[in-house]
Amino acid sequence: LLQHLQRERLLAVGLLLGQVERTDLVQQIAEVDDRIADLRADLGTDLPAQVGTALDGTRTLAELRTAVLAGQAAPEQILGGYGPVHTALIDSLRLRFDVDTRTSAGRQVLALDGMLRTGEGMSAGATLIVLVAAQPTDQLATAYVANMATLNTESVRFSSLITPEQLALVDLEAAAVTARTNPDFLVQSGLDPVAATAGLEVESLYPAVSSMITLGQFVEKKLVADVTAEVRADRTAALSAAYWVSALVVTILVVVVLLALAVGRAVARPLTRLTRSADRVARVAESELVRVADDESDTAQPVRLDPVDIRARDEIGDLARAFERVQNTAAGLVERQVASRRNVAQMFGHVGRRTQNLVGRQLALIDRLERQETDPGRLEQMYRLDHISSRLRRNAGSLVVLSGAKGDDAHVAPVPLADAVRLALGEIEDYTRVDVQVPAGVSAAPAVIGDLVLTLAELMENATVFSPPHTRVVVTGVLTEDGATLSVVDHGIGMSEDRLAEENARLTRRERLDLAPTEVLGLFVVGRLARRHGWLVSLAGTAAGGVTATIRI
C-alpha cells in the first residue's frame, strides 16, 4: 500500500508537469483504494488500532486528489499532502518498538523500518528533483537538500543492519541511479539541486526517476520476504521447544497425580463419609434457602437445617463443624435478607398509597379549578397539570404493584374496553401519538379496570418512548370466544430475538423485584399484574420494525 501511495504521488506530479495521462493517475488512485479495502477485509478485527488510524488518514487525500485531477493543485500541496500520510503508515507499524536487536530477526525488523523510511525518502526526493528540474525555485531546492540530508542519515543506520545479500541489492539500486543520471549526480544534487538538474530534461528525467523508484521497491519487497522467512523460522523453533516443554509438563503432572492418589488414600475414607453427609445437608439446605428466599408471604417459616453427621475430633471433624457454622450463618443471612425485602416492599406500598391519596386530592382540586376557570390560557395549563398528575398517579400505582399489594379500584361498574384504553392514554406523556382502534361491544369488569389501565399505560409508555416522534403507536383490539385481545404496535428501535425471549420469560415467570434490572421495572409491573389476573402478555417484533405487545384478556 505504501509503495502504491508513493507511486500515486509521483503520478500526481507527472500529471501537473504533463508527463503522464490523467487516466494513469485515476487508475492508480483506484488501485490504492482497492489495497486499503483488501487490507481491512483480510485483517478484520486483527487490524491494529494504530494501523487503522493511519489508514483512516488516507481519507484526507480526497480533496487533494480532486484538485490534482482538475489541474488546480500546486506542487507544494502534493508534497505536503502525501508525505504525512506515508510517514503515519510507517509509524503505525511500530517496527522500532518491542524488537530484540540481539537476535537476527530483531535486527531484520529494525532494518525493515529503516528501509521503509529510506524508501519514502528516496520517493520524496525523486518527486522533488523532478519538480526542481521543471520549476527551479529556492523553496523546492531547500526541501530537496533537507530531504537528502535526512535520507543519508537514515541510509547509514539502515546499512549497518542489513545482510550482505540485501546490501548487494542496495548497491545495485545505487548503480541504477548512476546509470540513469551521472556518477556525481547524487552528490551534486545534495549540494545544489538546481545546478545538478540544469542540463536534464523533464521528459527524460521523469521516466528515469520512475524506474529508479520501482527498483527501490524491489529491495523493500526482498527485505520483507527475508524478515518473514526469519520470523517464521523462529516461530517454528519456538513451537518445537513449546511441544517439548508441554510433554515434560504433562509427564510431571502425571507423576504428581500418582503421588496425590497415593497420599489421598490415607484420608479418603473419612472424607467420603464427610462428603456424603455434607451432600445430604447441602440438598436440604438448598431447598430450604430457596424456599425462604423466594417466599413472599408475610408469615414465612424459618429455615430448618440438618446437622452434619460427623463426630471425629481430628482435622476432618473440625472441617465438618466449620461447615455447619457456615451454613447456619448463611441461613441467618437469608432470613435477614427476606425480612429486609419484605420491609422494603411494605415501604413501597405505603409510599405508593400515600402518593395515590395525595394525587387523588390534587386531581379533585384541579377539577374544581378547571370548572371555575374561564381564561383559555390558564385552562390549558390546568389541563396539562391534570395530565401530569395522572401520570404521577400511575407511578404511584406501579409502586403499590411492586410492593406486592393490591391497589384500590374506585370503579363500581363495567367500563367499555375502548374507554379503558383512553383512561390509560391519560396517564402517559406522548398520548397524542396513539391511535385507538378497539371495537365496541365488550366491557371490562370493575375489579380489573385499575390494573388493566396501569398495564396498558406501561406498555403504551414503552411504545412511545422507544419509537421516533414522527411515528404512530396503534392500539388495536379483537374479540375472542372468551374475552378480547389487545395489541400495542409501535415502529421503533425494536428488540433482538434474544432480548424478546428474555422479556417474554420475565412476563410469565415470577421474579423477585430486587433481582430485576432497573430498566425493565415497567415490564416487571406488567408481568406481575398479568399473573395476578391470568392474562397472557407477550412481545413480538413488528413486521416493519418495532415491537408489538399483545394482551389476551
Side-chain angles (χ1 to χ4, degrees):
L1 172 62
L2 182 63
Q3 291 176 352
H4 279 276
L5 277 168
Q6 290 168 349
R7 178 167 175 77
E8 180 185 328
R9 175 175 58 189
L10 186 60
L11 288 175
V13 171
L15 180 62
L16 292 184
L17 300 179
Q19 300 302 310
V20 298
E21 297 295 332
R22 186 176 185 274
T23 54
D24 296 335
L25 179 56
V26 172
Q27 184 177 358
Q28 184 63 28
I29 291 174
E31 178 69 21
V32 169
D33 292 339
D34 290 343
R35 291 275 176 172
I36 295 175
D38 292 343
L39 186 58
R40 291 187 184 275
D42 291 343
L43 291 182
T45 56
D46 294 331
L47 186 69
Q50 297 93 337
V51 178
T53 303
L55 291 179
D56 293 338
T58 58
R59 299 172 183 169
T60 60
L61 299 175
E63 294 183 3
L64 179 58
R65 288 169 170 173
T66 302
V68 172
L69 292 174
Q72 299 175 353
E76 293 79 6
Q77 291 178 285
I78 296 177
L79 295 173
Y82 283 91
V85 174
H86 299 175
T87 304
L89 283 173
I90 298 174
D91 292 339
S92 69
L93 297 177
R94 297 180 60 83
L95 297 178
R96 292 182 175 181
F97 304 94
D98 301 330
V99 293
D100 187 0
T101 55
R102 296 172 296 180
T103 65
S104 176
R107 289 191 294 272
Q108 286 283 280
V109 171
L110 204 57
L112 176 57
D113 180 79
M115 184 65 215
L116 292 177
R117 298 182 188 278
T118 301
E120 170 59 16
M122 292 182 61
S123 175
T127 306
L128 280 166
I129 199 64
V130 171
L131 290 172
V132 170
Q135 304 171 2
T137 63
D138 292 339
Q139 183 179 1
L140 291 174
T142 302
Y144 178 80
V145 171
N147 181 77
M148 289 300 292
T150 303
L151 180 59
N152 290 333
T153 302
E154 198 67 47
S155 298
V156 171
R157 186 181 68 87
F158 159 71
S159 300
S160 64
L161 297 170
I162 59 178
T163 63
E165 183 182 5
Q166 296 163 352
L167 183 59
L169 281 177
V170 174
D171 293 339
L172 181 62
E173 180 185 4
V177 174
T178 302
R180 286 165 171 78
T181 53
N182 60 67
D184 300 326
F185 180 76
L186 290 178
V187 177
Q188 292 177 357
S189 64
L191 299 174
D192 189 356
V194 176
T197 57
L200 299 176
E201 296 292 335
V202 177
E203 290 77 5
S204 60
L205 182 60
Y206 183 84
V209 166
S210 179
S211 61
M212 178 186 66
I213 293 177
T214 302
L215 181 59
Q217 291 177 349
F218 281 119
V219 179
E220 292 180 3
K221 292 177 181 178
K222 166 63 177 173
L223 191 54
V224 169
D226 291 346
V227 170
T228 304
E230 186 143 5
V231 171
R232 283 178 177 170
D234 288 352
R235 176 179 179 272
T236 302
L239 285 176
S240 299
Y243 292 148
W244 282 108
V245 171
S246 299
L248 179 61
V249 169
V250 170
T251 303
I252 294 175
L253 285 177
V254 170
V255 174
V256 170
V257 169
L258 293 176
L259 291 175
L261 290 175
V263 174
R265 292 179 64 87
V267 293
R269 292 180 180 178
L271 283 178
T272 300
R273 290 196 302 270
L274 175 60
T275 300
R276 291 173 181 172
S277 178
D279 183 64
R280 174 181 55 81
V281 172
R283 287 197 299 269
V284 175
E286 182 180 9
S287 61
E288 281 294 296
L289 294 180
V290 169
R291 177 185 64 80
V292 175
D294 288 344
D295 192 0
E296 295 181 348
S297 62
D298 293 333
T299 59
Q301 297 296 324
V303 179
R304 298 182 301 273
L305 301 177
D306 286 354
V308 179
D309 185 15
I310 194 73
R311 301 179 182 86
R313 295 298 177 182
D314 54 8
E315 291 81 0
I316 296 177
D318 294 338
L319 175 62
R321 285 181 284 275
F323 171 75
E324 192 168 23
R325 289 195 299 271
V326 168
Q327 76 162 1
N328 290 333
T329 301
L333 290 176
V334 169
E335 290 181 341
R336 288 187 181 183
Q337 181 188 25
V338 171
S340 175
R341 190 173 70 247
R342 291 197 186 98
N343 291 337
V344 171
Q346 291 176 0
M347 181 182 65
F348 275 15
H350 292 327
V351 171
R353 289 191 180 92
R354 292 175 64 180
T355 305
Q356 282 180 324
N357 293 334
L358 291 175
V359 172
R361 292 165 59 186
Q362 179 176 313
L363 286 172
L365 178 60
I366 293 174
D367 288 340
R368 288 197 301 270
L369 293 176
E370 287 174 350
R371 288 192 296 269
Q372 298 170 4
E373 186 58 56
T374 58
D375 184 5
R378 283 196 294 268
L379 191 59
E380 181 183 357
Q381 296 295 326
M382 289 183 181
Y383 286 151
R384 294 178 62 184
L385 183 60
D386 192 324
H387 182 65
I388 293 175
S389 300
S390 298
R391 290 168 55 200
L392 182 59
R393 180 176 57 188
R394 173 172 65 87
N395 291 333
S398 297
L399 278 179
V400 174
V401 174
L402 292 177
S403 70
K406 295 182 179 180
D408 298 330
D409 202 322
H411 296 275
V412 295
V415 174
L417 203 55
D419 292 347
V421 175
R422 293 185 179 91
L423 287 174
L425 277 179
E427 298 188 358
I428 68 172
E429 180 176 4
D430 212 356
Y431 62 91
T432 57
R433 291 176 45 215
V434 181
D435 298 328
V436 180
Q437 301 175 3
V438 178
V442 61
S443 298
V448 303
I449 292 172
D451 290 344
L452 178 60
V453 169
L454 182 56
T455 299
L456 290 171
E458 292 287 355
L459 294 176
M460 287 190 291
E461 182 77 22
N462 282 349
T464 55
V465 168
F466 294 104
S467 60
H470 64 275
T471 60
R472 306 291 297 177
V473 174
V474 181
V475 180
T476 62
V478 294
L479 303 182
T480 60
E481 294 181 358
D482 56 351
T485 299
L486 294 176
S487 298
V488 181
V489 184
D490 69 68
H491 301 280
I493 59 177
M495 293 183 181
S496 63
E497 293 295 332
D498 294 340
R499 181 69 187 278
L500 282 173
E502 177 184 352
E503 299 304 335
N504 281 321
R506 176 171 287 115
L507 291 171
T508 55
R509 69 170 183 261
R510 188 167 64 86
E511 185 176 21
R512 282 167 42 190
L513 173 62
D514 55 341
L515 300 182
T518 55
E519 66 270 13
V520 298
L521 288 182
L523 293 179
F524 182 89
V525 171
V526 172
R528 177 165 287 188
L529 293 176
R531 290 189 297 273
R532 177 184 298 174
H533 295 286
W535 303 333
L536 296 179
V537 182
S538 61
L539 304 177
T542 306
V547 175
T548 297
T550 304
I551 314 173
R552 294 174 56 189
I553 307 169

